[in-house]
Amino acid sequence: MNFSTSGITRRGLLGAFAATTVAAAPTYSNAFGLLRGAGDIRSIAMYSGRTGERINTIYWIEGSYIKEAAKEINHFMRDWRVDSAKVMDLRTIDIMAAAHRLMDTTEPYMLLSGYRSPQTNAMLRAKSRNVAKNSLHMKGQAADLRLENRSVNQIYNAATSCNAGGVGKYTGSNFVHMDCGDIRTWGR
């Protein structure tokens, strides 16, 4: 098919297919169940536009988290503003990995925010009404993420279909919040 003469772009066709795939994905009782039977391996790939760092690691094999990989994730997701790390709740990483798997992409997430120190959270809260006073970022239980090759709606739909944790859609800022707290959704 000649896309240029039909008015359909290859990118548009792929985007429509991806949106349909995510929208048609079955609802899972939780993200962890999604990964069971998926080859007994969980991995995560991210990069930080702030620090220039990248991580691409297998963090779970055959029912066990890998301590060294978890330490690398903790360091990568640190609050870069004060160079402070916290033990990240790996349930959040599981949700991120499950959503990523549903979107069938090899592009790593761009991490906008992982762990936030109380100082950083207070500073961001003073600048935006969208920052929670008791943010799960301060507990190492949340991440704000972006993908260039998927829309906010596609990421949001993939994350909500995991039926695990909180998922916030920030279309205007082009990112999705994922956490391992209570199941809830918000945003436009």
Side-chain angles (χ1 to χ4, degrees):
M1 174 179 201
N2 186 342
F3 292 115
S4 61
T5 60
S6 68
I8 300 172
T9 65
R10 182 174 186 275
R11 176 179 227 125
L13 186 62
L14 290 173
F17 176 74
T20 303
T21 301
V22 170
T27 301
Y28 293 90
S29 61
N30 63 50
F32 321 112
L34 171 64
L35 290 168
R36 281 189 206 114
D40 294 303
I41 293 173
R42 298 180 195 174
S43 63
I44 194 74
M46 297 180 278
Y47 71 96
S48 169
R50 302 289 187 176
T51 66
E53 296 171 331
R54 294 182 168 272
I55 188 170
N56 186 353
T57 188
I58 294 171
Y59 68 93
W60 186 89
I61 296 177
E62 297 186 12
S64 297
Y65 291 104
I66 301 167
K67 280 185 187 179
E68 288 306 312
K71 287 179 186 177
E72 289 177 25
I73 291 168
N74 295 340
H75 177 75
F76 178 83
M77 295 183 75
R78 73 192 179 282
D79 182 341
W80 57 270
R81 289 175 178 92
V82 296
D83 197 29
S84 176
K86 185 166 188 90
V87 173
M88 295 300 295
D89 191 319
L90 292 173
R91 295 176 300 167
T92 297
I93 310 308
D94 286 335
I95 294 165
M96 293 164 49
H100 197 268
R101 185 181 200 97
L102 281 172
M103 290 182 285
D104 192 29
T105 182
T106 58
E107 177 190 351
Y109 281 120
M110 174 186 229
L111 177 71
L112 302 174
S113 185
Y115 167 65
R116 282 189 210 144
S117 67
Q119 302 90 327
T120 294
N121 200 72
M123 180 269 297
L124 293 173
R125 187 167 158 72
K127 293 179 179 182
S128 171
R129 62 180 177 82
N130 291 325
V131 177
K133 183 177 182 178
N134 295 311
S135 172
L136 291 178
H137 286 278
M138 294 189 299
K139 296 179 180 181
Q141 295 181 328
D144 295 338
L145 306 160
R146 174 184 297 156
L147 287 170
E148 293 300 318
N149 70 5
R150 297 293 186 268
S151 70
V152 168
N153 281 335
Q154 290 170 318
I155 301 167
Y156 176 84
N157 289 340
T160 57
S161 73
C162 295
N163 198 27
V167 183
K169 180 172 26 172
Y170 295 89
T171 306
S173 299
N174 189 28
F175 74 88
V176 173
H177 168 98
M178 296 181 204
D179 69 52
C180 64
D182 293 337
I183 296 173
R184 67 214 187 284
T185 60
W186 65 93
R188 302 180 222 185

